[in-house]
Amino acid sequence: MAQAAGPLVGLRVIELARVLAGPWAGQTLADLGADVTKVEAPRGDDTRQWGPPFVTRGEDVSAAYFHSTNRGKASVTIDFREDAGKARLFDLLADADILIENFKVGGLAKYGLDYASLKDRFPRLIYCSITGFGQTGPYALRAGYDFIVQGISGLMSVTGDPEGQPQKSGVAITDLFTGVYATTAILAAVHERSRTGKGQQIDMSLLDVAVAMTSNQGMNYLTSGKVPGRMGNAHVNLTPYQVFDCADGHIIIATGNDRQYQRLCHLLGLDDMAEVPEFLRNSDRIRNRAEMTRLLTEATLLRTRADLLAACEASGVPAGPINDMAEVMADPQVQARGLQIDTDGVPGIRTPIRFSDTELRFDKPAPKLGEDDP
C-alpha cells in the first residue's frame, strides 16, 4: 500500500479530498510513513486532467499536477451517493485514524458523512475539514479558491510592482500552506488523542491561513495603523534587501544588518556610503531608500551577475541568483540534498522533512485511478 518506513507508520488516513490543500496534507502524511488511501469518485480527482504535461503509465494518463500532490497513496473509487459505496467507506473508516475532506460546508451531511454524523460511530477518528472560509461565519458557504483567497486576505495587496496590478504568488501558496498547517493540526490531534482517547474535528480555512501568513505585514499595520502597499522586490522593513540590476541580468542582495550593508558598499567601491549618516542604520536607509538604491544600482550595473555573486560570497554579503526551474534542478545544492527524486519512473520533488534516525522512502508514485479497488 503506502510507505513502509517513516515515523507515522501505523497511522491510517482516509483522504476524501481533491485538488491541492487536502491532498497536500495527505501526501505529507504519506511521505512520513502513514498509510493514506485516497477515495476518489469514479471520474477521479479533477487534477488528473489538469494538463499538459501528462504522465503516462500504461493506460493511465494523469497530469503532472496530480502527481505533484498525491505521491505514496493508494486509490480506491467509491460513489458514496449509493448505499453500497457508503458501506464500503464505513469499512475503510472502521480502523482509520484520520479523515481529510475538503467538501463545501454541509456537503457531506446529506450522505451522513459529516463529523456530527460520524463522531459517535468512530469516536477516535480525527476529522480534518478544509474549506475556503471555515465552518462558521458569513462566508462559510462560499466556495474557496486559492487565487480569490490571496486577494481577500491582503496577500496580493503587498505583492507586485507598485505601478502594476497586484500579483498572486506563482504557486497556489494558500492551498499549500493550508495543507502544511492541516498536517500540523492533525498530528497535534493525534497527540491529544493519546491522552484523551478521543478524536475531534479540525476546522481549516484557506482564508484563516492566508491572513495568518500576512505575518510582519499584518503586524506592521496593527502596530502603526498604516496600510502597507506593494513594493515589488523591496522589503518593507529592511534595505538594501531586493533585486539589483547587473550588466547581464539580475541578482538578489539581502543585507540583514548594518555590517552587511557596509561590506556591500566596500565591495562595490562605495566606501563613503558605508559611513554617511543618511545610510548608517537600517532606519536611516529606509528613510532614504530611493537615493541609496539609485547609488547602489549605478555600481551593480557595472558588474556581471557571476562576478557580483562571487564578490558577495567572498565578502559575507547574502546574495543569490534568480533561477528558472531548469537551473533549480541543476543547482549543486539541490542535487546534493537529493530534492529531485524518482518514484518508479515518475519524477518528483522530495519532502523537505529530514530526520537524523528515521529514513523516509519515496518509492510509490501517485496512484492510478482505482488501482487499489477490490
Side-chain angles (χ1 to χ4, degrees), residues 41-43 78-86 111 113:
R43 68 180 183 279
I78 292 178
D79 185 350
F80 51 71
R81 296 173 299 179
E82 300 177 354
D83 290 342
K86 190 165 147 181
Y111 307 113
L113 297 175

Side-chain angles (χ1 to χ4, degrees), residues 288-357:
N288 298 288
R289 185 195 299 265
E291 179 64 7
M292 179 207 65
T293 301
R294 184 186 69 79
L295 294 170
L296 292 176
T297 301
E298 286 180 353
T300 62
L301 278 168
L302 302 176
R303 312 282 284 270
T304 66
R305 289 177 298 171
D307 172 56
L308 187 50
L309 283 169
C312 287
E313 178 70 21
S315 299
V317 175
I322 302 172
N323 290 334
D324 62 26
M325 286 298 115
E327 291 167 328
V328 171
M329 298 307 168
D331 186 279
Q333 181 67 17
V334 171
Q335 293 185 346
R337 297 287 284 176
L339 291 174
Q340 181 175 339
I341 58 176
D342 181 281
T343 53
D344 194 24
V346 179
I349 299 173
R350 186 195 191 283
T351 180
I353 301 170
R354 299 171 190 269
F355 300 94
S356 63
D357 297 333

